[in-house]
Amino acid sequence: MKDLIIYEDNHLLVVEKPGGLLVQGDRTGDVTLLSMAKSYLKERYDKPGNVYLGLVHRLDRVTSGVVIFARTTKAAQRLASFFREKLIKKHYLAVVHGSPPPKGILEDKIAWDENKRKAYISSKGKEASLVYLKLRTKGKKSLLLVQPITGRKHQIRVQLARRKHPIVGDIKYGSKERIYFGRAILLHAWRVVLPHPVKDEILRFEAPLPFYWPKEFYPPAKIPWLKVERKL
């Protein structure tokens, strides 16, 4: 677990989630990032009893990248409010099938099918918006920089698949190619910018790309933040 720590202080624990690892428990009973992080803190600080660690956001099992935990209830409450107020900015990298337009804003309504554990586009769903920038195309695949504006479950995956550009490895949403034994896809929560929940400072974090990410789709050295030119 120690190798996955990106940042740590008295209020926050920021970690790199590998693709294929659950953030929190589900019906499989598999090991989770949350339980690993709690065990790390318990051992590192020799804490008796249960260790508090607030889960303020999630990544899908198949997605890799930055995950932020709150180490106090005060930090958890403030981070939750930051997410609601859209004060936390996240950039994802995604390798998709095909070649989308150079940039775009995707807006849909998304609903969730609990039985199939899958999102779908529906007029009765909730508003979902994202912006993206195509960084490069090679062969029949493209690298995108994606900034979600809303935080719907499986949002990036279903919105890109809807345009016939499913994420590579995402069998659930139309990809025909498996990545890392089917436990991961080429979607990576790459960098996050957020206000510190207690201190007067802005924090910036990046998670390195996972080992199975194809070298030809590494991002350029410098990438600007996407600008949302209108309210979504």
Side-chain angles (χ1 to χ4, degrees), residues 135-212:
L135 300 177
R136 66 166 57 99
T137 295
K138 188 169 184 178
K140 296 182 179 180
K141 299 174 184 175
S142 300
L143 174 66
L144 306 183
L145 180 68
V146 181
Q147 182 179 335
I149 307 305
T150 53
R152 310 302 179 200
K153 191 179 291 187
H154 291 196
Q155 174 183 331
I156 298 174
R157 299 165 65 184
V158 70
Q159 286 195 275
L160 289 171
R162 175 74 170 188
R163 275 78 183 177
K164 303 187 185 303
H165 299 294
I167 295 168
V168 174
D170 199 354
I171 306 300
K172 184 183 287 273
Y173 290 101
S175 176
K176 304 300 183 183
E177 183 176 333
R178 290 189 179 275
I179 300 295
Y180 189 31
F181 308 110
R183 289 286 187 144
I185 64 176
L186 295 186
L187 178 63
H188 182 67
W190 179 42
R191 61 186 183 185
V192 178
V193 173
L194 72 155
H196 193 284
V198 176
K199 303 175 185 178
D200 184 18
E201 59 181 289
I202 300 296
L203 302 174
R204 294 173 174 81
F205 304 116
E206 288 188 7
L209 290 168
F211 71 89
Y212 49 81

Side-chain angles (χ1 to χ4, degrees), residues 22-41:
L22 289 167
V23 172
Q24 66 178 143
D26 68 1
R27 55 193 172 189
T28 66
D30 291 346
V31 67
T32 69
L33 186 67
L34 179 60
S35 62
M36 290 170 60
K38 285 185 176 182
S39 295
Y40 161 79
L41 292 172

Side-chain angles (χ1 to χ4, degrees), residues 62-82:
V62 292
T63 304
S64 58
V66 179
V67 172
I68 302 165
F69 293 110
R71 292 192 58 195
T72 65
T73 55
K74 180 179 180 180
Q77 291 169 355
R78 291 190 176 176
L79 288 172
S81 69
F82 292 165

Side-chain angles (χ1 to χ4, degrees), residues 41-112:
L41 292 172
K42 186 176 181 66
E43 181 178 348
R44 176 174 170 80
Y45 297 104
D46 193 24
K47 286 180 172 288
N50 294 327
V51 174
Y52 175 82
L53 202 56
L55 184 61
V56 294
H57 74 121
R58 297 166 179 80
L59 293 181
D60 300 336
R61 180 173 195 156
V62 292
T63 304
S64 58
V66 179
V67 172
I68 302 165
F69 293 110
R71 292 192 58 195
T72 65
T73 55
K74 180 179 180 180
Q77 291 169 355
R78 291 190 176 176
L79 288 172
S81 69
F82 292 165
F83 274 107
R84 287 194 300 270
E85 296 166 16
K86 296 182 172 55
L87 298 178
I88 297 178
K89 297 180 181 179
K90 296 192 290 183
H91 267 175
Y92 289 75
L93 292 172
V95 180
V96 302
H97 292 281
S99 181
K103 60 182 178 179
I105 299 175
L106 307 186
E107 297 177 289
D108 298 287
K109 289 187 176 181
I110 295 178
W112 178 257

